Amino acid sequence: LEVALHHAGQRTYLLDGDNVRQGLNKDLGFTDAERVENIRRGAEDAKLMMDAGLVVITAFISPFRREREMARDLIGEGNFTEVYVNTPLETCEARDPKGLYKKARKGELPNLSGIGSPYEPPETPEVVVDGTQSDLNAVVSGLMQKLDAGTVDPGGEGQSVPGGVSCRVNVCNFPLTPSSARVGLSWRIHANLQ
């Protein structure tokens, strides 16, 4: 998505939760309170980048509705698009590129969303993507078509480009539970689709 938006003339930045946890948020663990603070800081970063004129795609695992609503409120309703990648837990476990699900099943990672910690699927995301889809190009093409067609209006004060794309901040969700298997299209989607 980031590459497609860039090719459409948008100035973009992918704010990846794993990278943020290695720097700005390295003092945070994975308790419920620390997860909320991780998302708050990510939303604050995204807002600053958005104010600088960038389209920000965030890739954070945010298992709780309240933290996603907090991010939406902080960013502003008209500047926030939630993309929910709906993937069954079994698919996430089969992919498991970092071995996190295996560790969680062994009890070595007690707070993994969907296994040792709850995951609350979004109730009204602007976009839902089938996380079992293996064709990344088709997923990105579908998202771009929705943006172009105006069926997703990240709107706000976003920059318009040929084709009608207008967006500021996109928050994506990874599926991590049996009923949903969601942060926010964690544009770590490429990792989930391998």
Side-chain angles (χ1 to χ4, degrees):
L1 179 63
E2 182 185 25
V3 170
L5 287 169
H6 181 77
H7 285 296
Q10 294 288 331
R11 293 175 41 213
T12 61
Y13 189 81
L14 171 62
L15 190 58
D16 183 284
D18 286 346
N19 293 339
V20 172
R21 278 194 173 271
Q22 292 175 13
L24 179 66
N25 293 350
K26 68 181 175 184
D27 62 319
L28 299 176
F30 292 90
T31 65
D32 289 357
E34 290 168 318
R35 286 174 176 216
V36 170
E37 178 60 11
N38 182 55
I39 297 304
R40 188 197 67 77
R41 291 182 192 179
E44 292 283 1
D45 290 344
K47 185 175 180 182
L48 289 172
M49 291 179 200
M50 180 194 74
D51 289 344
L54 298 174
V55 174
V56 180
I57 302 166
T58 65
F60 289 76
I61 294 174
S62 53
F64 308 118
R65 286 186 193 108
R66 72 177 185 270
E67 70 189 15
R68 295 189 299 264
E69 288 306 313
M70 172 195 58
R72 183 183 297 272
D73 290 344
L74 195 137
I75 297 297
E77 183 70 32
N79 293 323
F80 184 101
T81 299
E82 184 173 35
V83 178
Y84 172 47
V85 182
N86 188 350
T87 310
L89 179 61
E90 299 77 30
T91 302
C92 292
E93 289 190 79
R95 291 175 180 155
D96 202 12
K98 297 179 183 177
L100 299 178
Y101 290 96
K102 287 180 186 172
K103 288 180 182 178
R105 293 290 184 195
K106 291 179 185 177
E108 298 170 8
L109 190 58
N111 292 324
L112 185 66
S113 297
I115 295 182
S117 181
Y119 176 80
E120 302 168 351
E123 294 177 339
T124 57
E126 286 80 4
V127 178
V128 178
V129 172
D130 178 359
T132 62
Q133 169 75 344
S134 61
D135 184 350
L136 180 59
N137 290 329
V139 171
V140 172
S141 177
L143 285 167
M144 290 298 289
Q145 287 174 4
K146 288 180 181 186
L147 289 169
D148 285 344
T151 56
V152 175
D153 180 17
E157 299 168 6
Q159 300 173 339
S160 293
V161 298
V165 176
S166 174
C167 51
R168 297 292 269 186
V169 175
N170 293 290
V171 172
C172 305
N173 290 314
F174 254 147
L176 292 170
T177 63
S179 63
S180 68
R182 162 191 156 134
V183 119
L185 197 46
S186 190
W187 289 113
R188 308 243 339 145
I189 188 170
H190 62 278
N192 265 354
L193 295 176
Q194 294 178 351

